[in-house]
Amino acid sequence: MSASSQTNIIWKVLPWLLLIAVLAAFIWVYIDQKTRQQSAWEPPRGETTSIPLNNGRVSDRPEPVTSYHNAVARASRSVVNIYTTQIVQNPYMNDPVLRRFYEFHGQTPQAGQETNLGSGVIVSTDGYIVTNAHVIAQADEIVVALNDGRKAVAKVVGTDPDSDLAVIKVDMSGLEPLAFRELPIEVGDVALAIGNPFGVGQTVTQGIISATGRTGLGVNTYEDFIQTDAAINPGNSGGALVDARGKLVGINTLIFSRSGGSMGIGFAIPTALVEQVMNAIIKDGKVSRGWLGIEVLSQLRDPSQIDNTTGVVVRNIIAGSPAAKSGLKVGDVILSIDGVEMTDSNRLIQHVARKMPHDTLKVQVLRNSKNMNIDITLAERPTQTEVVPPQMPMSNDDPELYLESPEGNANPLSDEQRAQLREELIELFENGARPKVDPLPHQ
């Protein structure tokens, strides 16, 4: 083979040899880097799968949770501060002996003026505001202060002491009503309480929904409270409890406390009840509810027994009431109404309260160990005329429920002290005595 032929063969083979070498080098580098990456340390990582949400429900939790600023900015424009004033007569002037004592000394105690505070929620562009009935109870003047600094005098549209709700109205423009949440709030959802605690100004506190459907607190006639651990204090009454998106879920009403301040157990009236009462007051000026005319008592239950006795015992029947006309008797045990089991008296009260006057209830009762069915046509329930807040405890040994408004002026004299003072004054006037006066100093 000639030299030229060999040279041609080498040039033909050489490119292929170079290509193979380059590929081999590339493969070696790739394998080396892959080995290094696999041996590198990484921190432990948790499961990436999330807990599935309830079917048909949208989560309230922003993803991710970084701030509730947008929700608060939206809702706070609809929450107002409420200031009420009331002329209070001096309690001593109601007693003729004490009045005579003051007149004897040439004194006439003047009437005082009490100022209370609370909160409210704007629910319409034409000035309707929802608050608590106890916030405006017996107020001579109601002043509403908006988030933007504007103020106006409000008039009372109507109150419903049974649910502790009231509607007032201001003549103002540019109002932004707060949207109601459509889906029911659930335990564990984020809750934001907006109000005017202690008069410091609009304040936002954050917590969760601790429970729903709380009843039996003995504060209102109709109770269906939302419980939250968002801080609620005096002045928050009538304010808004909103979700993480700024939608209204309830009206803050009271707390469970040993000291009168927030201890993480607050209660709000849910929007379902607020809407029912609000619409009735705006439309008719009052709330009409069904009424049976009975006094009831829940069946005693033994927590150690697996099978508990349910039902509500009829303790008393008001003469001329729908229950009396239907043939219901004292001692009957109401088992169900309209097919809904009556597990306790609170459930019965709530069920009847949702009905309208003239509605007919199908009541199943137990009488002398026999089941009976009775049809009862409801009448309109008489409404209370005054709101009576629970008494403040004399000590802090036991927790008490407090309506979220400042404590009023207490009577400075007890009954015993007043009686003793009366006796002393009577003796003073009968004996013709004169009060002891220190002599004036000589100049």
Side-chain angles (χ1 to χ4, degrees), residues 285-297:
K286 64 175 184 177
V287 181
S288 296
R289 294 186 175 93
W291 181 58
L292 281 174
I294 60 175
E295 295 180 4
V296 294
L297 176 67

Side-chain angles (χ1 to χ4, degrees), residues 265-303:
I265 304 180
F267 299 95
I269 301 172
T271 51
L273 181 56
V274 173
E275 187 173 1
Q276 174 192 357
V277 173
M278 175 190 71
N279 291 335
I281 289 178
I282 294 175
K283 180 182 177 182
D284 303 322
K286 64 175 184 177
V287 181
S288 296
R289 294 186 175 93
W291 181 58
L292 281 174
I294 60 175
E295 295 180 4
V296 294
L297 176 67
S298 300
Q299 290 273 61
L300 296 178
R301 301 180 183 180
D302 186 353

Side-chain angles (χ1 to χ4, degrees), residues 355-396:
K355 302 296 182 178
M356 297 298 294
H358 310 300
D359 286 351
T360 299
L361 305 182
K362 296 187 178 297
V363 182
Q364 182 184 17
V365 301
L366 180 66
R367 180 185 298 172
N368 298 326
S369 302
K370 294 181 179 180
N371 288 343
M372 299 179 59
N373 294 320
I374 300 177
D375 292 341
I376 305 177
T377 301
L378 300 177
E380 183 174 354
R381 185 186 189 278
T383 57
Q384 299 178 10
T385 58
E386 296 182 356
V387 178
V388 182
Q391 297 293 323
M392 293 296 183
M394 299 301 295
S395 66
N396 293 332

Side-chain angles (χ1 to χ4, degrees), residues 17-39:
L17 295 176
L18 292 174
L19 179 59
I20 293 172
V22 170
L23 291 174
F26 178 81
I27 293 173
W28 180 81
V29 171
Y30 176 80
I31 294 175
D32 181 71
Q33 290 181 350
K34 191 70 175 178
T35 303
R36 290 175 179 271
Q37 290 179 356
Q38 291 178 350
S39 61

Side-chain angles (χ1 to χ4, degrees), residues 386-437:
E386 296 182 356
V387 178
V388 182
Q391 297 293 323
M392 293 296 183
M394 299 301 295
S395 66
N396 293 332
D397 295 336
D398 298 319
E400 295 287 343
L401 288 167
Y402 293 83
L403 295 176
E404 289 313 300
S405 60
E407 182 178 358
N409 292 331
N411 190 343
L413 291 180
S414 65
D415 293 339
E416 295 180 357
Q417 292 173 329
R418 181 180 292 274
Q420 182 179 358
L421 181 58
R422 282 176 60 91
E423 294 178 359
E424 294 176 355
L425 291 174
I426 292 173
E427 182 179 358
L428 172 67
F429 292 124
E430 289 179 350
N431 296 335
R434 292 291 183 268
K436 180 180 179 180
V437 179

Side-chain angles (χ1 to χ4, degrees), residues 79-80 117-121 131-132 134-135 193-199 201-205 230-241 251-255 262 267 403-406:
V79 181
V80 301
L117 56 90
S119 305
V121 178
T131 185
N132 284 134
H134 74 263
V135 170
I194 307 176
N196 182 24
F198 297 108
Q202 193 173 89
T203 304
V204 181
T205 55
I232 299 175
N233 287 289
N236 275 109
S237 272
L241 185 69
I251 298 296
N252 299 321
T253 301
L254 63 139
I255 59 174
S262 175
F267 299 95
L403 295 176
E404 289 313 300
S405 60

